[in-house]
Each structure stands twice: as C-alpha cells, then as structure tokens.
Amino acid sequence: MSNPDPRDQLVEHLGAMRAFAMSLTGNSALADDMVQDSLVKAWTKIDTFEVGTNLRAWLFTILRNTYYSHHRKARREVGDPDGTFSASLAQKPDHDGRLQMRDFNTAFATLSDEQREALVLVGAEGFSYEEAAETCGVAVGTVKSRVNRARARLAELMGLDEDEHLELTDRVTSGIVAAQKHAM
C-alpha cells in the first residue's frame, strides 16, 4: 500500500494553521497571509517532507518560522499604510527651529543603532519599555538604559542645560527628547 500524497492532506490542516497563526499575530488578515505564505512554502518544499511523519507538526514549524521571519523584518520597517506617520514629520523652515532640528539630526545620527531604535520605540512611537524590550528581544532594563544613555548623549551633543527648551516641530522628535531632563 503506497502512502497518500501529503499535498492532498494540506487542506485538512488549514483550520488549525489559521488558529495557530491568529495566536501568534492577533490579526486575522496577517494570520491569513502567514498561512498562505506557509502553504506556498510547504507546497514548493513538499519533497523535503518525510512521508509517515507528522505533517501538522511540519506545517506548524514552517508557519512559526514564517512568523518569526516576518517579525524580524517588521522590526526593521516602519509601517505607515495611511500616511499618518509621514504626514507628522516636519521641519520648521527659516527660523531657529530649523537649526535646532539640524543639530538634533546630526546628534541623533551619532547614536548607536540600538540607542536610536530604543529612542524611536519609546519616545516617538510611545511603546512602553516592556513592549520595546519585547520588540528588540532584550531585557526591559536594557531598553531603559539605552533610552537614558541616548537622551543624555543627545543633550550633551546639543549642549542643552536641564531647564533649556528645545524648539522642535514634529511629534516624533519631540517625543524622542522629551525626557532629556530625566536622563541628566
């Protein structure tokens, strides 16, 4: 008796795959995309499946790996489907705010990637330290330390005193430097 083609059994696992994807993503559209991507991968790599082993476990492994790949990629990207984020970016023209913004951009560029990422997540995006830590895959204390050191370094590079006001035009930059007094 020959073993059935595993491709014929894929449909039996769709419901369980979608439920698993929903538990990972919390978003039905993204879960559906993850299941579809996983099925395409499974279909194209079906020759690597060992007939007689657990097809569901194999599919779930592909789905989990697809989710983690997507998650890693998403951490490096800024989603802005409706243009809200890009619309909030601004630079004051022709007065002191523009010069301060230039100084800020120069100082911000000197920070390490980890410090910039922590500042953007916590200061600009409004993530809690816990959410930022989870997103970065580090401990909460590490994120707090990165944010505090980065804000202190920005204040130092920009020559800001504790009580000095920095005139900035956009919400993102203001959020990044907002707690600079706490970092000093």
Side-chain angles (χ1 to χ4, degrees):
M1 174 176 153
S2 72
N3 288 324
D5 187 347
R7 281 178 268 239
D8 296 335
Q9 299 171 4
L10 291 178
V11 126
E12 297 170 21
H13 302 286
L14 286 178
M17 287 179 71
R18 186 167 192 286
F20 182 53
M22 277 296 297
S23 73
L24 292 172
T25 65
N27 176 316
S28 63
L30 182 56
D32 289 342
D33 289 346
M34 293 284 167
V35 170
Q36 180 177 346
D37 290 348
S38 299
L39 286 172
V40 168
K41 289 175 185 177
W43 189 271
T44 59
K45 297 292 185 180
I46 200 73
D47 57 315
T48 65
F49 175 69
E50 200 171 309
V51 177
T53 61
N54 189 337
L55 180 62
R56 181 177 290 209
W58 186 70
L59 292 170
F60 275 41
T61 300
I62 293 171
L63 179 58
R64 186 191 74 228
N65 291 341
T66 300
Y67 168 75
Y68 284 128
S69 293
H70 172 79
H71 187 67
R72 278 190 303 274
K73 180 181 173 189
R75 277 195 343 221
R76 295 184 302 267
E77 297 176 351
V78 175
D80 190 24
D82 59 357
T84 304
F85 181 71
S86 59
S88 70
L89 298 176
Q91 187 168 338
K92 278 190 176 181
D94 303 317
H95 53 75
D96 290 345
R98 191 182 94 217
L99 297 175
Q100 287 183 335
M101 185 64 123
R102 185 195 65 203
D103 292 345
F104 168 80
N105 287 335
T106 301
F108 190 70
T110 66
L111 299 176
S112 70
D113 291 342
E114 293 83 7
Q115 288 176 334
R116 283 196 308 270
E117 178 182 49
L119 277 178
V120 169
L121 290 174
V122 172
E125 292 298 318
F127 281 35
S128 69
Y129 287 115
E130 292 77 13
E131 291 169 328
E134 184 178 333
T135 300
C136 296
V138 298
V140 174
T142 302
V143 171
K144 288 180 180 181
S145 176
R146 287 177 183 173
V147 168
N148 286 333
R149 277 191 258 128
R151 284 180 172 151
R153 182 70 178 140
L154 280 176
E156 176 188 332
L157 290 169
M158 296 176 70
L160 298 175
D161 295 327
E162 257 184 72
D163 56 346
E164 192 171 349
H165 173 71
L166 182 61
E167 182 181 333
L168 296 169
T169 59
D170 67 280
R171 173 186 66 80
V172 173
T173 309
S174 298
I176 288 172
V177 297
Q180 66 197 21
K181 291 179 185 175
H182 302 292
M184 297 179 118

